[in-house]
Amino acid sequence: MITTSIFEKKFIAEKARSIKASRILEIGAFKGETTAVLSEIASHNDGYVIAVDPMQWASHPASLGEFIDKWLHPHSYEDAFRRNTSRIPGCPIKLYKNLSTDSELLSDPSETLREFDLVFIDGEHTYSGARNDLQNWGTRVRSGGLILMHDVRPRFPGVMRVFEEYSKLPSIRAHWPKKGSVGVLEILVQQS
């Protein structure tokens, strides 16, 4: 799946509301549909959303729909991202057109990148990609915050494996998806 389902968007919004998330990071923003949902929550809490996505197609489209979309818009999906996120007034959204593993981004001293209430990971769906995102960005989630991971399902064994590994850590309480494919990692004690 290339984007979150309607059910998953509602679930993500519910989880963000439950912790009054104001500092939100999304890795893998794509066309900004989930970014818009997250920014609506952040705006109610006088917060912001940081979106990290290179805004370029992967070299191998994952589905026929993605292939057609890439053919119609060969260079970027940033216009769709801007359209979808512009409908939520009052919430600052900062887009970093980088990979989540970009060393300059990871070492950026900006206060807005230091700590988050909620991190939504929907980037590279490989074991190393998901693990890097959790190691690099999951450690920036405050105690009591949440990490939401998209596509925790058999189609993406690397994502499932990383989620399972993190679910065993004593500083985390894991909630496997019951419907949809969004797994929840509740941060009991902030990792370092």
Side-chain angles (χ1 to χ4, degrees):
M1 181 176 289
I2 199 161
T3 188
T4 53
S5 68
I6 292 169
F7 169 80
E8 290 169 332
K9 286 177 181 69
K10 288 179 181 177
F11 179 79
I12 291 165
E14 176 186 302
K15 290 298 175 187
R17 271 191 212 96
S18 75
I19 62 165
K20 296 178 175 48
S22 64
R23 300 167 300 169
I24 300 173
L25 170 68
E26 179 182 24
I27 297 171
F30 191 45
K31 293 184 180 180
E33 293 175 10
T34 306
T35 315
V37 170
L38 292 169
S39 66
E40 197 169 331
I41 305 304
S43 69
H44 283 67
N45 297 314
D46 297 320
Y48 56 86
V49 174
I50 303 292
V52 177
D53 193 301
M55 293 287 143
Q56 295 179 354
W57 291 101
S59 57
H60 302 289
S63 67
L64 178 61
E66 193 175 315
F67 176 81
I68 292 169
D69 208 0
K70 181 179 179 180
W71 180 72
L72 292 171
H73 309 96
H75 302 294
S76 174
Y77 40 83
E78 186 175 356
D79 289 344
F81 174 87
R82 298 285 181 202
R83 261 191 321 278
N84 286 323
T85 57
S86 67
R87 58 191 170 93
I88 309 297
C91 178
I93 298 172
K94 170 70 174 161
L95 172 63
Y96 286 90
K97 294 191 321 185
N98 301 75
L99 294 172
S100 60
T101 54
D102 185 325
S103 60
E104 286 182 36
L105 179 63
L106 291 170
S107 62
D108 187 318
S110 173
E111 181 69 31
T112 59
L113 294 172
R114 192 169 298 154
E115 185 177 73
F116 299 99
D117 302 312
L118 185 142
V119 170
F120 177 57
I121 298 175
D122 193 14
E124 186 183 316
H125 283 48
T126 63
Y127 175 78
S128 62
R131 186 165 174 80
N132 284 337
D133 286 340
L134 277 169
Q135 288 175 335
N136 293 328
W137 298 102
T139 56
R140 300 177 192 214
V141 177
R142 67 167 170 82
S143 297
L146 299 174
I147 300 169
L148 306 179
M149 291 184 70
H150 190 228
D151 289 326
V152 177
R153 58 186 174 148
R155 180 176 171 203
F156 300 101
V159 175
M160 284 190 63
R161 184 171 151 211
V162 171
F163 187 86
E164 182 175 11
E165 289 173 5
Y166 272 74
S167 72
K168 294 175 182 174
L169 296 176
S171 59
I172 291 176
R173 182 178 303 130
H175 305 274
W176 286 85
K178 291 187 172 118
K179 181 179 175 186
S181 66
V182 178
V184 179
L185 297 172
E186 181 183 350
I187 306 304
L188 304 174
V189 178
Q190 187 174 21
Q191 304 164 18
S192 53

